[in-house]
Amino acid sequence: MKDALKLYLVTDRDLSLGRSLEEVVSEAVKGGVTIVQLREKETSTGEFVALARRLMSILKPLGIPLIINDRVDVALAVDADGVHIGQSDMAYADARRLLGPDKIIGLSVESLEDLEAANALDVDYVGISPVYGTPTKTDTAEPFGLEGLRKAVEMSVHPTVAIGGMNARTIGEVMEAGADGVAVVSAICSAEDISKAAKELKAIVEAAANRSWSKEVWKKSSKIYNSILELDFLKKLSEGTLSNDIFARYIAQDEIYLKNYYHQMNMLADMMESTDDKELFIAFAKSGMEGEKALHDMLIDRYGIETKVEPSKVTSDYNAHICEGIATGDLCIALASVLPCMWIYNQVGLHILNHSKLEGNPFKEWILEYGQEEFTTGVNKVLKMVDGWASKTDKQTREKMDYYYLKAALYEYAFWDYGYNADSKSYNYTESLEEWL
């Protein structure tokens, strides 16, 4: 499905410079369009069906899916490959019941709340809409922007298509932000040479998609991340109902982890050749031992936490795994091994920040620390860095990067899970790791 979404043409006869839809679509697929959506807001049902049949005759022999915008009845009439529905259109459950299990159904999401709801549905893809403002569609929600898109892609369990403001200037950064495809209207429909325009856009999409190791590994680890969000520890932390004893146990282990983190960031800084890269990881080390340590000291004092404890097996094994990755001496592998402790922590913080009740929450300071903008900016710089290096390395190294990242992500899961379940006599985190692996 993902490959089919890469260059997604949405038709608009008003923007086609007087050319027929058949001509526009034929030239577009010659240039590399991978899927076509027929969008007709003003036409009669009869004309809509006739147009769809003509496009089906062009696209079906080429294996290019035809998606009908909004109209399930039209899709059924012409046996189209699927439909794309919006938030105010027919409910997904009804569309699926009518179309059956094999047809493609895409769903537009206009906010992170829409996206969370879509995660619970078995849709084939979601359209993140709009990413940027666009003159072709004026009845849209507040644009996501690039950072909003990145957050949406990370949250989504489904393939994602970026919609709104997609053109040769924007699609590269959108694909690098993690989208699986881009939905284009005027950049193709209004092009003087449609085939050439589509070919140029496809080249940008392919080049940007191939560089994004982080996008692919996040998708591979999405089950782990979503399971972390479902842990009772985080749910109760977000609600402010977590027991003080459990929170204290977590902070005591996090104190041990924080000291390791400081040394790991400095080791990574020593591996960097660029001064800017060195300073980035020195800044991570500094923020850990200043900002985060100050937070810990305040919480330790508030809750009377005893920090002179032995590291749990989870803490020790997690630290050993990261040190093993750094000890390879390969910057790509080293970064992959340490990335979850930054990226997943940050994403968990942002998630809780968006969903928790901060007023009166005793853990408010912790939530604000891990969801802060400065931390998010630093993590995004590391993602850009690791994607750049991954694009230049060989397949074997990328496979090792996947391994070190995914195992570290599993340790993140175990670290959060241990905080809540350590008192259980039957608790054995190594068994849960084996299940994931």
Side-chain angles (χ1 to χ4, degrees):
M1 187 71 230
K2 288 183 182 179
D3 284 343
L5 297 173
K6 283 185 177 178
L7 187 55
Y8 191 138
L9 171 64
V10 180
T11 65
D12 190 319
R13 284 195 284 177
D14 290 340
L15 295 175
S16 297
L17 308 183
R19 294 168 295 197
S20 69
L21 278 188
E22 294 94 315
E23 180 183 353
V24 170
V25 169
S26 295
E27 290 300 308
V29 296
K30 284 180 186 176
V33 160
T34 53
I35 188 168
V36 176
Q37 180 186 139
L38 177 58
R39 186 172 70 186
E40 291 288 328
K41 293 295 185 182
E42 306 298 331
T43 192
S44 67
T45 299
E47 186 179 0
F48 201 158
V49 169
L51 278 170
R53 285 204 173 107
R54 294 201 294 272
L55 294 190
M56 281 290 289
S57 68
I58 296 169
L59 298 172
K60 191 169 184 178
L62 301 173
I64 305 291
L66 176 65
I67 305 299
I68 304 298
N69 179 261
D70 294 352
R71 298 287 297 274
V72 174
D73 57 336
V74 174
L76 286 168
V78 303
D79 194 25
D81 296 279
V83 297
H84 184 91
I85 52 178
Q87 291 296 313
S88 60
D89 297 323
M90 180 183 290
Y92 166 76
D94 293 328
R96 178 60 73 196
R97 179 174 54 81
L98 290 169
L99 290 169
D102 299 325
K103 296 295 186 181
I104 298 167
I105 300 182
L107 175 65
S108 289
V109 294
E110 299 177 349
S111 66
L112 295 180
E113 290 73 25
D114 288 348
L115 186 59
E116 280 197 315
N119 279 346
L121 304 175
D122 190 26
V123 296
D124 294 281
Y125 69 89
V126 291
I128 311 298
S129 173
V131 176
Y132 303 115
T134 171
T136 63
K137 202 172 182 184
T138 56
D139 57 338
T140 56
E142 185 71 21
F144 278 81
L146 197 59
E147 287 305 312
L149 170 67
R150 185 176 285 111
K151 190 181 300 184
V153 167
E154 290 167 353
M155 285 177 57
S156 179
V157 300
H158 304 299
T160 55
V161 176
I163 302 173
M166 297 299 105
N167 54 53
R169 295 186 302 278
T170 60
I171 61 174
E173 63 185 11
V174 162
M175 292 298 292
E176 288 181 358
D180 293 298
V182 291
V184 178
V185 188
S186 60
I188 289 179
C189 291
S190 298
E192 184 177 343
D193 187 329
I194 293 171
S195 180
K196 181 181 177 182
K199 186 176 181 179
E200 290 173 351
L201 293 171
K202 183 69 174 297
I204 297 171
V205 166
E206 292 285 6
N210 290 338
R211 285 199 298 271
S212 187
W213 171 81
S214 64
K215 177 188 73 172
E216 292 303 319
V217 82
W218 184 268
K219 289 292 185 182
K220 290 176 183 177
S221 66
S222 62
K223 184 179 177 183
I224 302 171
Y225 173 69
N226 288 320
S227 295
I228 289 172
L229 298 184
E230 291 299 314
L231 290 173
D232 288 333
F233 179 94
L234 289 174
K235 286 183 176 180
K236 291 184 180 296
L237 184 82
S238 179
E239 296 165 355
T241 59
L242 185 68
S243 94
N244 290 346
D245 288 344
I246 291 176
F247 186 68
R249 181 170 61 213
Y250 163 78
I251 291 296
Q253 289 299 315
D254 206 30
E255 268 282 286
I256 299 169
Y257 183 83
L258 183 59
K259 293 173 184 175
N260 294 326
Y261 176 85
Y262 173 76
H263 292 299
Q264 289 156 3
M265 292 300 110
N266 278 313
M267 284 191 286
L268 283 168
D270 289 341
M271 296 172 70
M272 302 294 167
E273 295 181 2
S274 158
T275 301
D276 288 345
D277 293 344
K278 281 181 182 291
E279 289 178 352
L280 175 61
F281 284 93
I282 289 171
F284 271 117
K286 186 177 179 182
S287 68
M289 291 312 288
E290 290 182 3
E292 195 170 348
K293 187 65 174 71
L295 170 67
H296 274 210
D297 288 344
M298 182 270 293
L299 293 171
I300 288 166
D301 182 64
R302 175 187 293 176
Y303 294 103
I305 298 171
E306 174 56 59
T307 58
K308 292 181 180 180
V309 298
E310 291 296 315
S312 70
K313 193 172 188 311
V314 176
T315 305
S316 296
D317 288 354
Y318 191 7
N319 179 56
H321 174 71
I322 293 175
C323 289
E324 179 185 302
I326 294 173
T328 64
D330 186 302
L331 270 173
C332 288
I333 295 171
L335 277 176
S337 67
V338 81
L339 189 56
C341 78
M342 303 155 58
W343 195 8
I344 291 179
Y345 250 73
N346 180 229
Q347 290 304 309
V348 167
L350 290 171
H351 175 84
I352 296 177
L353 186 61
N354 288 329
H355 296 84
S356 64
K357 300 174 182 176
L358 289 179
E359 189 64 35
N361 190 321
F363 313 113
K364 176 180 177 179
E365 292 88 353
W366 185 96
I367 295 168
L368 292 173
E369 174 71 17
Y370 288 99
Q372 63 169 298
E373 185 176 348
E374 184 180 0
F375 187 28
T376 303
T377 299
V379 170
N380 288 336
K381 287 180 180 178
V382 175
L383 291 173
K384 188 174 182 179
M385 179 191 301
V386 74
D387 278 338
W389 289 344
S391 69
K392 299 171 185 175
T393 193
D394 55 76
K395 181 181 179 182
Q396 185 178 18
T397 300
R398 286 194 296 273
E399 288 174 350
K400 288 182 179 179
M401 290 172 68
D402 285 359
Y403 167 79
Y404 276 93
Y405 177 89
L406 291 170
K407 192 166 183 181
L410 288 169
Y411 278 122
E412 277 293 317
Y413 172 85
F415 195 81
W416 295 105
D417 192 32
Y418 175 83
Y420 195 79
N421 289 311
D423 288 336
S424 171
K425 292 181 179 179
S426 62
Y427 182 75
N428 185 338
Y429 94 94
T430 56
E431 288 182 1
S432 52
L433 283 187
E434 287 300 318
E435 289 174 9
W436 285 108
L437 291 170

